[in-house]
Amino acid sequence: MLRGRHFVEPGNFSIAETDGLFDLASKIEEDGNYLRESCRGKVLATLFFEPSTRTRLSFEAAMLRLGGNCLGFAEPGSSSASKGESLADTVRTVACYADIMVMRNPKEGAALLASRYSEVPVVNAGDGGHHHPTQTLTDLLTIKRLRGNLEGLTVGFCGDLKFGRTVHSLAKALARYPGVKLVFISPPELSVPDYIITGVLKRENIPYTETDSLEKVIAGLDVLYMTRVQRERFFNEEDYIRLKDSYILNREKMALARENLIVLHPLPRVNEISREVDADPRAVYFKQAKYGMYVRMALLASLLGVVSC
Ligand code: NCD
């Protein structure tokens, strides 16, 4: 049962619970009326201390489609955080007004802290360069729907694997599926942090390789997960400028890949996927954004207990 639970990182839900969410999301996709009005009278608070387009709007769209209401802020300057209020106090207050809250914060661990002070479910919409578990639900659902399963896949991650929180969450989640192999493609300065390599992959004996060449490995991939270089997490602009165009997926590179490859990207895209790739049927990142709304509807309905999952 997910009712009343927090969702801070992918490991908070079992595979069976995650599968339950995917089943619900698929029912919603097939039948636009399913769960409609199920959250009437419920309030979602969105606390965004960092910019967002898809995550915040898809959560709000999800709640509105379920018949509930939304309140919140989209930048910290408009909340009392700018007056020096602690996160704990903000969260305790918001829990008085809302039935569930979704929070994005630049500090690693912020969502965990919020979950300790909140009487209503807290959903992590990104804590610094750490985790982004609802993007992971989106990514897993996209892979499952478009590839048919989550087992036995070779998944390549390309770009900023150091600061990319979507990468950390998805790698951790994929490590739970049998037969998965991971290929990490990044410049050495932007490689996957040790808490994923040692803390998850080595501990669970998950096969993985690290390389700096996309061309060399693209032919062996079932899924390619492209990411943007996370400018806001760099300590100096020169490093960002040097690394920002390390990888650009274009038609020539796609020609080396399998016919049934799928290319995901959490978005926003900056330069790392050339526009000419958008027309390739293997490019599924805008479909992915749509799956994000369905799975967030399933998540909100489940955490609020209006459906049993
Ligand atoms: C991602 C994020 O915020 O981590 N965006 C998203 O939620 N879809 C990826 C990014 O900002 O690069």
Side-chain angles (χ1 to χ4, degrees):
M1 270 286 273
L2 296 184
R3 181 189 192 131
R5 304 249 297 266
H6 301 296
F7 191 35
V8 171
E9 58 109 338
N12 293 149
F13 297 168
S14 67
I15 295 213
E17 286 165 340
T18 309
D19 281 344
L21 288 174
F22 296 155
D23 289 345
L24 273 183
S26 297
K27 278 193 200 155
I28 296 167
E29 183 190 357
E30 279 154 27
D31 172 4
N33 283 324
Y34 185 66
L35 295 183
R36 202 179 178 146
E37 302 301 319
S38 63
C39 290
R40 178 153 292 283
K42 304 280 186 196
V43 175
L44 163 71
T46 52
L47 283 58
F48 277 69
F49 296 89
E50 270 194 343
S52 170
T53 299
R54 271 147 295 270
T55 306
R56 187 172 62 84
L57 295 184
S58 67
F59 263 114
E60 293 184 1
M63 192 55 165
L64 296 173
R65 282 167 184 259
L66 294 168
N69 294 298
C70 307
L71 51 80
F73 53 84
E75 45 172 303
S78 61
S79 79
S80 281
S82 65
K83 298 181 186 168
E85 184 172 53
S86 70
L87 184 62
D89 286 1
T90 303
V91 163
R92 272 189 283 218
T93 307
V94 172
C96 303
Y97 308 146
D99 301 292
I100 186 164
M101 71 179 85
V102 175
M103 189 182 79
R104 170 171 290 183
N105 194 287
K107 293 209 176 96
E108 282 83 13
L112 180 63
L113 184 139
S115 70
R116 295 198 171 133
Y117 286 94
S118 174
E119 288 185 0
V120 303
V122 171
V123 176
N124 183 8
D127 60 326
H130 192 216
H131 276 297
H132 190 350
T134 68
Q135 182 64 47
T136 297
L137 292 179
T138 303
D139 303 337
L140 293 176
L141 177 63
T142 305
I143 299 171
K144 194 170 171 164
R145 299 288 278 135
L146 301 179
R147 290 285 317 210
N149 63 51
L150 289 164
E151 288 91 35
L153 297 172
T154 300
V155 180
F157 291 88
C158 179
D160 184 347
L161 312 188
K162 178 180 181 187
F163 296 116
R165 55 195 173 197
T166 62
V167 171
H168 309 153
S169 288
L170 182 56
K172 187 167 181 185
L174 282 170
R176 304 200 293 183
Y177 293 91
V180 164
K181 295 191 188 108
L182 304 181
V183 180
F184 297 116
I185 308 143
S186 76
E189 296 95 322
L190 297 180
S191 62
V192 190
D194 195 52
Y195 75 89
I196 297 293
I197 297 284
T198 308
V200 180
L201 305 180
K202 286 190 178 156
R203 213 182 62 191
E204 307 290 334
N205 271 322
I206 308 302
Y208 74 91
T209 51
E210 294 184 279
T211 175
D212 60 4
S213 167
L214 177 56
E215 285 90 335
K216 278 192 193 146
V217 295
I218 193 168
L221 303 178
D222 299 309
V223 177
L224 172 59
Y225 195 87
M226 293 297 296
T227 62
R228 131 189 112 85
V229 176
Q230 307 274 304
R231 180 182 203 160
E232 65 277 31
R233 312 222 187 277
F234 274 69
F235 294 110
N236 78 62
E237 185 73 4
E238 278 151 41
D239 285 349
Y240 169 72
I241 289 167
R242 184 168 53 81
L243 293 167
K244 74 183 173 65
D245 292 328
S246 300
Y247 302 98
I248 300 180
L249 183 65
N250 57 16
R251 226 183 261 149
E252 288 77 61
K253 288 183 193 123
M254 289 298 283
L256 304 171
R258 293 179 181 164
E259 286 283 296
N260 63 350
L261 170 80
I262 51 171
V263 180
L264 277 72
H265 190 309
L267 303 176
R269 148 178 64 183
V270 184
N271 240 353
E272 58 282 352
I273 303 181
S274 144
R275 303 293 185 270
E276 67 194 20
V277 174
D278 296 358
D280 189 312
R282 294 171 291 180
V284 302
Y285 23 90
F286 291 107
K287 281 189 191 155
Q288 186 184 351
K290 194 156 191 184
Y291 285 124
M293 183 182 72
Y294 297 136
V295 84
R296 288 178 173 116
M297 288 174 77
L299 178 70
L300 290 174
S302 302
L303 297 180
L304 288 168
V306 300
V307 66
S308 143
C309 178

